[in-house]
Amino acid sequence: IAADIVGVSRATCAADVVDVLAAAANDGFDVARRGRHQPWVWPLRQEASRKKTVAWQSTARRKSAKGTLMLHWVRWWLLASLLSPILARITPAPPGDPDYWKDLQSIKVVGGVLQPEWSPKVYDYNVFIADPDKKGILIRAVVDAEKYDIQHLPEISLDGKPLAYEDGTTFVDFDIYLNKTEGPLDRRYSLYVADPAKEPGWMFWVDHGHEYRIRVLQPPNFQLVTRLYKLHVQDEWGGDLPMIPDRPDLSVDRYTFYVAGNATWVKIDIRCSKYATALQYQHNPLIKASESEFWTKLDPQETHVQFQCQFSDPLFTNSTEERAYTLKFLRRGEDLWSVPIALMMSEDHGYCSSYKHSGQRAPDQSPYMFVCRTDVAAPKMLGLFNQAWITLSLESMKHDNRYRLNNGLEVTVPIWDSHRKFRLKVNGGAHEIYYDVILSRVSNCTSMTCPSGLPHIDLSHTAAARQRLCHSTTCTEKDQDLCCEAPTPANEGNSSHG
């Protein structure tokens, strides 16, 4: 190449060319050794420099082309990123498309508090209801209208049961009925949002969607879950002890019992509400509320027993809720036969009389009985006694009905036949006696026809039933003196004249 350019023989410059080319490779065409002053070297150097320049320019153009291409790609990527939300709004993904939207826009609660607050990527929530007496709440699941064709909204189900959208809307409502009992409520629900188009899988249909887990919490009524549900006390002989008041009451936390003078032990059966978590008897360690029978030794004069019904659950309270109760045991020194008992009826309905029995009687049967008469179907009865340690009850001998008679308080006792037989039971704990009672339905004096010329006695000034009731179901001549005016000479003459 050098001989052709310079015009000399190849043999003349062969040795110099080798050295020049080696020096050019090492020093960038800076000729070092031989041939430095040869006239044919300079054209060679110029040609090599030109070719190097051309090569560099070609490489720069290629790099510039690649950079330009990269710049265009970045520009298109940014443009696509900016336009994709707009395009998604214009053309939402249809059912079956992998991009079909399966998230809710929001969950709203009416009547409770959603915890934590709604967030698009949170799928576990608690709904807390502060009011223990609230009966229900409403939960609304809302989907984003801009992400769907209104005809292809996602399917929403609650615990596997499909929910229907309100007409023309993008939300579903469902009611949660809360606890109907006094205890706490801890209930879990599964809200599922799914693509309405099912994708086929291997031997089954694959349903792609998102599950929202909702836990509903409602605290108990602390006054009710710590209430006394049952209290039953027996003496050491197995006899039931009467209680004052006669049954557990929500407003009462003190109860009194009367025991026999020679009693030394009592068995106490306590039942708190079934929602109570613990029972503490006296100063003993806590036990389960279901373990509730205790034997207690009585003091010579008066005994006091204390216990608490408790409720504790960190989901609903930071401390233990409890209610304390006190039982007082007093000794009685009187015999049941010496306690005066009276059975009465409202004056507007009738009256009761006491009679002495004739004939044989049982050992626990009183020698006296009561006969009561009334002209109404359901008279009001009441019992009177002067000892707090006894209980009085009226028990039907035929229909197995029992009516508790609190001292001085009226109780309605229905009569289905012309007369009913009862036993008036007097319970003193270890012992019990009874009185026979006959309750009869009789006629009123107004149903009697007085002899001609004799008017009925005017009873408008009094409500005393004894003065207006006949002795049986039908008024007879025996009731004439009770129901009709006594004859006088004037009305006797009128009667004979008539």
Side-chain angles (χ1 to χ4, degrees), residues 94-100 102 195-202 204-208:
D97 191 295
D99 294 330
Y100 185 82
K102 296 178 282 290
D195 187 339
K198 307 296 188 298
E199 296 182 4
W202 183 71
F204 58 89
W205 288 90
V206 178
D207 188 5
H208 294 283

Side-chain angles (χ1 to χ4, degrees), residues 29 45 69 167 176 198 224 232 237 252 273 277 290 298 327 356 382 394 404-405 408 428 446 491 494 496:
F29 298 97
R45 292 179 63 190
L69 182 62
D167 293 339
I176 300 293
K198 307 296 188 298
L224 294 180
H232 182 217
W237 303 286
V252 178
S273 166
T277 57
S290 58
L298 298 174
L327 309 182
K356 191 169 184 178
L382 69 153
L394 194 62
R404 181 67 178 270
L405 299 180
T446 56
N491 55 33
N494 291 338
S496 60

Side-chain angles (χ1 to χ4, degrees), residues 88-95 100 143-154 165 169-170 196:
R89 294 190 185 99
I90 297 174
T91 56
Y100 185 82
V143 299
D144 191 347
E146 296 181 351
K147 297 186 180 298
Y148 306 98
D149 178 352
I150 193 66
Q151 301 298 326
H152 300 95
L153 296 177
Y165 289 90
T169 66
T170 57

Side-chain angles (χ1 to χ4, degrees), residues 448-476:
M448 180 176 180
T449 302
C450 292
S452 178
L454 296 180
H456 286 88
I457 296 176
D458 183 12
L459 300 175
S460 60
H461 63 283
T462 178
R466 191 184 297 271
Q467 300 180 19
R468 58 181 172 83
L469 296 181
C470 298
H471 290 85
S472 62
T473 54
T474 304
C475 294
T476 64

